[in-house]
Amino acid sequence: MKNLRSTLLFIAVFVLFLASCKEDTDDLISKEKLSGFIQKGPFLNGTSISVSELNKDLSQSGKVFNSQIKDNQGTFELLGLQLSSPYVQLKADGYYFNEVAGTVSTSQLTLNALADVSNISSLNVNVITTLEKARVEKLVAGGLAFAEAKKKAMGEILAIFSITKADIQNPEGLDINKPGEDNAILLAISSVLQGYRSEAQLSELLANISEDISADGKLDSEILGTALVSHAKVLDVAKIRENLSQRYQETGSTAQIPAFEKYIAQFVEKTPFKAVSLFTYPVTVNGSLNLLNENNSAFVAKVDNPYKFSATTPKGASLKIKMEYVEGGDSTGVYWAYRLASDTNWKQTNYDDKQKSQYFEVVESGKTSNLEMLFLTGNGVKIRISYFENNDLVAIKNRIITIN
């Protein structure tokens, strides 16, 4: 009798154990493959990838899967994932192709994404997924459902860039190398954020914007807003398209760059933030007045009194200056000259006798360009200085200086 009771008890416990195991197995989310792209521009082969399982409150469960990007298009792939929760965080650290400068980054950038992988097997990581992360976490902590938090955060990020699109898909579904309005929006925002910044500056900008919008979804910092539009205003969108097209072709992919240009133009036109020049024209250089600084407008014609012709351009940008005689003084045919021995990083056209003008162009961006300039005649000569920043066909500004 005692043996019978023991046997029945063992059977009962074994049945409960099987039921429990079946229940645990049924709760698992199996992913044969989770794949996608890591994009700023596309990240490079060898970039490290980690997928962390998250609990319902978006805290880490402790389960992590690691992989690497397998090509220079930013492609990653993880096989055989077993998840107890549908929520994951994907993190990528690596080098990437800078679509604005047209070069590979010299240091690494970290991008993140939060996603519900219940019904998806493709997951892309980009600047929007990175910007939204802290905001989504804040909204979920406040009681909002994950899907609603994602939708709300996406709309708030679009608003920062003067974009309204209620039906835009989640950012982890966007791809800068596919046609369509949603993908165009991603590329526009990605390019504005990159601007003419270094990787360190971009990383800092992403962190600062993410922190700023986490509480209320609005970009409250005037400094950050000004930084965004100042770079957006001088972006060479034709060059961005050319850079990306060439890069994708080099990596063996067909370039399908979406029509992103209009969203950058829209942001520049509609944003409440005010742009400032990214080009620096110091007031003085080594004690001499700089012709290119707007505060300096009156100069003296003296052979032994050279002035500076000085500017600093952001890395990847271009600058051309036009000097043009307007009126006044004694007609000599030539009104200024420069000292060749003092030339640093400028190239000049020949003086145009008919137009009484000459162009000066920066050779290498990201450096200071200097030249010593002399005025050969005074008596009220007026000279127009025109600034063509970043391949502008029309001068961004014109000013008149007087030579006495």
Side-chain angles (χ1 to χ4, degrees):
M1 189 68 177
K2 182 177 179 181
N3 288 337
L4 179 61
R5 283 198 300 269
S6 298
T7 301
L8 291 174
L9 179 60
F10 173 78
I11 292 172
V13 170
F14 183 68
V15 169
L16 287 173
F17 174 75
L18 289 177
S20 175
C21 288
K22 184 178 187 303
E23 184 178 333
D24 290 343
T25 302
D26 289 344
D27 286 344
L28 287 176
I29 299 171
S30 297
K31 291 287 174 184
E32 291 185 12
K33 182 172 72 173
L34 183 66
S35 61
F37 297 101
I38 313 297
Q39 296 175 332
K40 170 54 205 67
F43 269 57
L44 273 59
N45 194 357
T47 294
S48 61
I49 306 293
S50 66
V51 175
S52 302
E53 182 184 76
L54 304 177
N55 298 313
K56 188 175 181 180
D57 62 358
L58 303 186
S59 61
Q60 299 273 346
S61 74
K63 188 181 292 185
V64 180
F65 305 87
N66 296 303
S67 185
Q68 286 186 332
I69 284 178
K70 63 180 185 179
D71 59 31
N72 286 327
Q73 295 175 30
T75 310
F76 76 92
E77 186 177 273
L78 292 105
L79 304 176
L81 273 67
Q82 296 288 325
L83 301 168
S84 302
S85 166
Y87 306 116
V88 299
Q89 173 184 316
L90 199 154
K91 181 179 179 181
D93 294 287
Y95 297 90
Y96 67 97
F97 180 75
N98 181 330
E99 72 277 14
V100 176
T103 58
V104 171
S105 68
T106 56
S107 58
Q108 295 188 356
L109 180 70
T110 299
L111 296 181
N112 293 282
L114 298 177
D116 179 346
V117 296
S118 299
N119 300 306
I120 63 171
S121 294
S122 178
L123 168 60
N124 298 335
V125 184
N126 49 61
V127 292
I128 299 182
T129 62
T130 302
L131 286 180
E132 72 168 8
K133 179 177 178 290
R135 178 60 175 157
V136 170
E137 290 170 340
K138 188 79 171 181
L139 291 169
V140 169
L144 206 61
F146 182 78
E148 289 302 311
K150 292 272 291 183
K151 183 177 181 180
K152 182 173 176 59
M154 184 64 169
E156 291 167 342
I157 290 171
L158 294 187
I160 294 170
F161 297 91
S162 304
I163 300 170
T164 302
K165 194 173 190 298
D167 62 344
I168 191 169
Q169 61 182 300
N170 281 335
E172 62 269 23
L174 303 180
D175 186 341
I176 63 171
N177 192 36
K178 285 184 180 177
E181 295 300 308
D182 294 1
N183 297 319
I185 288 171
L186 169 61
L187 180 51
I189 291 175
S190 188
S191 297
V192 169
L193 288 165
Q194 178 65 68
Y196 297 99
R197 299 180 176 90
S198 66
E199 295 82 32
Q201 290 170 333
L202 173 59
S203 182
E204 181 181 27
L205 180 67
L206 288 171
N208 288 342
I209 293 176
S210 181
E211 173 63 25
D212 186 292
I213 68 175
S214 63
D216 60 6
K218 297 178 181 179
L219 186 62
D220 300 309
S221 170
E222 195 77 29
I223 293 174
L224 294 176
T226 295
L228 289 175
V229 70
S230 297
H231 283 254
K233 189 174 181 179
V234 294
L235 285 174
D236 187 341
V237 293
K239 192 65 176 175
I240 292 171
R241 176 173 289 279
E242 179 185 333
N243 290 339
L244 279 174
S245 295
Q246 182 175 341
R247 180 63 178 179
Y248 275 110
Q249 288 167 3
E250 288 173 352
T251 60
S253 174
T254 302
Q256 302 180 75
I257 311 303
F260 70 98
E261 295 90 343
K262 62 184 176 183
Y263 290 107
I264 294 179
Q266 177 178 299
F267 172 53
V268 172
E269 178 185 354
K270 293 186 176 182
T271 182
F273 298 111
K274 303 300 180 184
V276 296
S277 178
L278 302 179
F279 298 78
T280 304
Y281 310 99
V283 177
T284 61
V285 179
N286 297 329
S288 298
L289 290 178
N290 180 18
L291 297 179
L292 300 183
N293 185 277
E294 293 184 60
N295 294 322
N296 303 329
S297 59
F299 302 88
V300 177
K302 287 185 179 181
V303 175
D304 61 348
N305 186 33
Y307 296 100
K308 296 297 185 181
F309 196 84
S310 181
T312 302
T313 61
K315 185 69 175 177
S318 65
L319 175 66
K320 185 183 290 185
I321 302 291
K322 181 182 181 181
M323 295 270 287
E324 181 181 17
Y325 168 78
V326 178
E327 63 182 16
D330 302 323
S331 179
T332 64
V334 179
Y335 301 89
W336 61 83
Y338 54 87
R339 291 178 173 172
L340 281 172
S342 70
D343 187 6
T344 305
N345 207 37
W346 287 107
K347 65 179 179 179
Q348 307 83 23
T349 62
N350 293 327
Y351 182 81
D352 188 325
D353 291 312
K354 290 185 178 180
Q355 299 297 325
K356 293 183 170 56
S357 65
Q358 188 173 21
Y359 285 93
F360 300 80
E361 187 173 355
V362 167
V363 176
E364 184 178 353
S365 65
K367 294 184 176 181
T368 297
S369 303
N370 277 312
L371 190 65
E372 287 189 352
M373 188 78 71
L374 305 168
F375 293 107
L376 305 178
T377 185
N379 298 321
V381 165
K382 294 190 182 299
I383 295 172
R384 179 184 294 112
I385 301 179
S386 302
Y387 301 71
F388 298 84
E389 296 178 349
N390 223 31
N391 296 318
D392 280 332
L393 298 178
V394 178
I396 193 74
K397 59 184 173 183
N398 298 282
R399 50 188 284 266
I400 301 293
I401 61 174
T402 303
I403 315 302
N404 293 307

